[in-house]
């Protein structure tokens, strides 16, 4: 293979999601260990939350309740 042959990168180059600098291979998709740690800290603190649907909460409440004491003989 000659040096003139183009090599396709394994991953597309993207900006760091924290600061916007070009990402580094060893910290992908981040540019540095610092930005990687900032993101990890946000996950651990619970800053990233996927909201649930309200109708799921209502269905779960009804299914968790057992028979009422009035129904027992």
């Amino acid at each position: 293979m000659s040096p003139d042959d183009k090599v396709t990168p394994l991953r597309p180059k993207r900006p760091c999601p924290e600061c916007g600098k070009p990402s580094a291979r060893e910290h992908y998709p981040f540019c540095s260990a610092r930005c990687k740690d900032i993101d990890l800290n946000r996950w651990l603190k619970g800053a990233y939350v996927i909201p649930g649907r309200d109708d799921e909460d209502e269905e779960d409440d009804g299914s968790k309740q057992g028979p009422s004491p009035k129904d027992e003989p």
Side-chain angles (χ1 to χ4, degrees):
M1 193 163 159
S2 71
D4 295 333
D5 291 340
K6 291 196 175 205
V7 177
T8 305
L10 296 176
R11 297 180 183 142
K13 288 197 172 204
R14 295 184 179 175
C16 175
E18 289 298 319
C19 67
K21 293 180 184 176
S23 60
R25 174 174 260 169
E26 58 273 2
H27 303 291
Y28 190 83
F30 305 98
C31 67
S32 65
R34 179 182 175 272
C35 285
K36 195 174 188 177
D37 289 342
I38 290 170
D39 185 71
L40 176 62
N41 186 37
R42 287 186 181 146
W43 278 105
L44 295 175
K45 282 180 152 181
Y48 297 134
V49 178
I50 300 172
R53 293 190 330 222
D54 290 338
D55 61 333
E56 285 182 3
D57 294 338
E58 292 172 7
E59 289 174 10
D60 290 343
D61 292 343
S63 64
K64 289 181 183 176
Q65 296 174 353
S68 64
K70 295 180 206 174
D71 295 338
E72 293 179 8

